[in-house]
Amino acid sequence: MPISIAAALLLWGRVRGPQPVQVLSRLGMLLLCQFTAVLMVFVMVNNANLIYGSWDDLLGTGNHVRAVPQVPPADGGAAGTSNENKRAKVIQSFKAVGDPKVPGDVQTTDLKGQLSGIDGEVLVWLPPQYNDPAYKDKTFPVVELLPGWPGSSKTWYGTLKVSEQLKPLMAKGEITPFILISPRTNLLGDTTDTGCADVPGKVNAETWLSRDVPQMVLDNFRADASPDRWAIAGYSAGGHCAAKLAVSHPERYRAGVSLSGYNDPGQEPASLTAKDARLRDGANPLNILKGAAHPPKVALYLSGNKGDGYEAAEALRAVAKAPTTVVPVETTGPHASDVWKPMIPGIFTWLSGIIPAGH
């Protein structure tokens, strides 16, 4: 912006030609200054909140759906233990994220989803005990972290500072030493939210998050394969996804955390699942619990302000039957990271009660 202002000041008095040409030229300079000012504010807000991870995400030009194959059914076992996963491990290479907002001990890899047909980055953070020789034969529990929409796989680490908040608590043994992973969820550009669902002919987002990403973690890290050692958490649209995936996949997740989420995907106007009545009903965690042949063994922590997630949490508690448990938590404040960020230590304290360190 300073460059555009300086250029306008320098050239203002040098415009030549008929008066209409001079007026149009100076109007163009003013519009350029306004445009650069708006762009600078947008970049500052985006850098502070990591809403978009790249220009491709902002412009919707990223290509993350390689194909939309028919997904083979799971055989009932957890990832890493079922017959379909008796295959050679896929070993990934990892590197630093390279974003000053993200701590240097967060790693990233580019994963090609074998079942989903999705390509995307997955960020991974290892707890302080992971590289301690005393733990060299230990496996670790995992929490999968989902951003809102639009959102970046960096947001949990950069804006919510999840690893920076939890690292000292884990080092002191106050909470469970979880491996934290955050996969890409912005798969169809900036105009469509997948709703973390498998939509025929469009995207296999559910398979990407609940099968491809967990299998990659199991292939590359000392992660515990038991579903009793996995959890999933998200905020806003990611909170909806976390609740939906947790109740849909008790063979993968023992707990789910939703911060200011919702049940009905229609609350997100850009949701792909909201555009089809059958998909919309099937993606609603309230309907999933109501229709379950057997209540899933899953614990849910659901927070929200009145009118912003709390009623959805209470609705889930009302229909939950053992062994499903639901903890609604009423919050105050806006639908923003300023509310969710300070909640993280308490959430992981609760999670540590569900998935304790000793195993």
Side-chain angles (χ1 to χ4, degrees):
M1 186 178 74
I3 295 176
S4 63
I5 293 175
L9 291 173
L10 180 64
L11 299 174
W12 192 269
R14 299 185 181 184
V15 178
R16 298 291 182 264
Q19 187 173 14
V21 173
Q22 294 183 37
V23 170
L24 288 175
S25 298
R26 288 169 178 150
L27 179 60
M29 294 179 194
L30 293 175
L31 291 175
L32 178 62
C33 290
Q34 289 182 323
F35 172 77
T36 55
V38 171
L39 181 62
M40 185 178 74
V41 171
F42 171 81
V43 170
M44 291 173 64
V45 171
N46 186 70
N47 287 345
N49 296 281
L50 294 174
I51 300 169
Y52 293 99
S54 67
W55 284 105
D56 280 341
D57 285 348
L58 171 62
L59 300 174
T61 55
N63 182 19
H64 298 283
V65 179
R66 182 178 71 256
V68 192
Q70 183 173 354
V71 178
D75 63 5
T81 61
S82 59
N83 291 330
E84 70 184 51
N85 293 311
K86 303 302 183 184
R87 55 167 179 74
K89 291 183 178 181
V90 177
I91 304 303
Q92 297 286 123
S93 60
F94 292 80
K95 61 183 179 181
V97 176
D99 188 317
K101 292 284 184 181
V102 177
D105 56 356
V106 178
Q107 309 171 67
T108 184
T109 190
D110 294 319
L111 175 65
K112 288 185 175 295
Q114 293 190 6
L115 296 176
S116 66
I118 289 170
D119 300 339
E121 79 279 0
V122 182
L123 275 59
V124 179
W125 179 82
L126 302 174
Q129 290 89 340
Y130 190 88
N131 292 313
D132 185 334
Y135 290 79
K136 64 182 180 64
D137 297 322
K138 299 290 186 181
T139 57
F140 290 80
V142 181
V143 181
E144 193 169 352
L145 304 170
L146 307 180
W149 187 90
S152 166
S153 54
K154 303 174 185 177
T155 308
W156 274 90
Y157 304 103
T159 304
L160 300 182
K161 299 191 181 301
V162 62
S163 60
E164 292 179 70
Q165 292 195 70
L166 298 183
K167 187 174 183 177
L169 300 177
M170 290 182 184
K172 291 185 287 187
E174 295 180 7
I175 62 172
T176 299
F178 293 103
I179 295 173
L180 305 179
I181 63 173
S182 183
R184 167 174 284 276
T185 58
N186 190 345
L187 304 172
L188 295 174
D190 68 324
T191 59
T192 304
D193 169 28
T194 67
C196 302
D198 284 0
V199 181
K202 295 289 186 179
V203 65
N204 289 324
E206 183 167 345
T207 298
W208 162 252
L209 294 171
S210 65
R211 296 174 72 178
D212 281 335
V213 171
Q215 190 62 57
M216 182 278 292
V217 175
L218 292 167
D219 282 353
N220 289 270
F221 300 97
R222 296 196 316 276
D224 197 320
S226 169
D228 286 335
R229 307 291 286 165
W230 280 68
I232 187 166
Y235 62 85
S236 191
H240 161 73
C241 288
K244 169 187 175 292
L245 293 174
V247 298
S248 298
H249 296 283
E251 81 287 353
R252 173 70 280 148
Y253 306 106
R254 176 68 179 86
V257 175
S258 173
L259 308 179
S260 302
Y262 46 84
N263 292 331
D264 179 6
Q267 291 188 233
E268 172 49 68
S271 173
L272 184 61
T273 56
K275 301 183 188 308
D276 178 276
R278 183 183 61 83
L279 288 173
R280 182 173 179 173
D281 287 343
N284 188 324
L286 187 65
N287 294 337
I288 295 170
L289 283 184
K290 287 179 178 179
H294 303 285
K297 181 186 176 183
V298 65
L300 299 177
Y301 179 107
L302 310 168
S303 77
N305 200 348
K306 288 183 177 177
D308 186 24
Y310 184 69
E311 291 82 359
E314 287 286 9
L316 287 173
R317 180 168 66 172
V319 301
K321 298 177 182 178
T324 307
T325 62
V326 178
V327 177
V329 178
E330 185 176 355
T331 61
T332 58
H335 189 87
S337 59
D338 289 345
V339 171
W340 306 320
K341 178 181 172 182
M343 296 177 66
I344 286 175
I347 290 166
F348 276 80
T349 298
W350 173 83
L351 264 179
S352 298
I354 305 298
I355 305 176
H359 181 59

